[in-house]
Amino acid sequence: EADYRRRFSRDAGADFPELKELVDHGLAKRTATGWQLTPVGLERSDAVGPYLQSAPVTSKMTEYVVR
């Protein structure tokens, strides 16, 4: 969290409202140093990761060709 604030001069929670949704559903928690998945969130981490990806990142991943 502190690194994000230093780099962007903004709060990660404000920039990523999805983080609050994860907290509201018991999948993540805010700690003194940042954000952390709960045990339930870790069980669902394969879904949480893509949920946090931006559309441009998802697009680039689908366009990627293994060489």
Side-chain angles (χ1 to χ4, degrees):
E1 183 79 23
D3 291 337
Y4 187 91
R5 184 177 298 284
R6 262 192 304 281
R7 183 170 184 177
F8 300 106
S9 300
R10 295 184 49 85
D11 179 67
D15 286 350
F16 299 96
E18 298 88 352
L19 293 172
K20 182 179 180 320
E21 291 179 26
L22 293 174
V23 170
D24 291 346
H25 287 85
L27 301 173
K29 61 183 177 179
R30 195 167 193 171
T31 68
T33 58
W35 300 85
Q36 181 179 24
L37 291 177
T38 63
V40 174
L42 285 172
E43 291 173 1
R44 292 162 177 80
S45 61
D46 287 348
V48 171
Y51 174 69
L52 294 173
Q53 289 174 351
S54 67
V57 168
T58 302
S59 176
K60 287 189 183 294
M61 289 176 66
T62 59
E63 295 170 4
Y64 180 77
V65 177
V66 178
R67 298 179 193 175

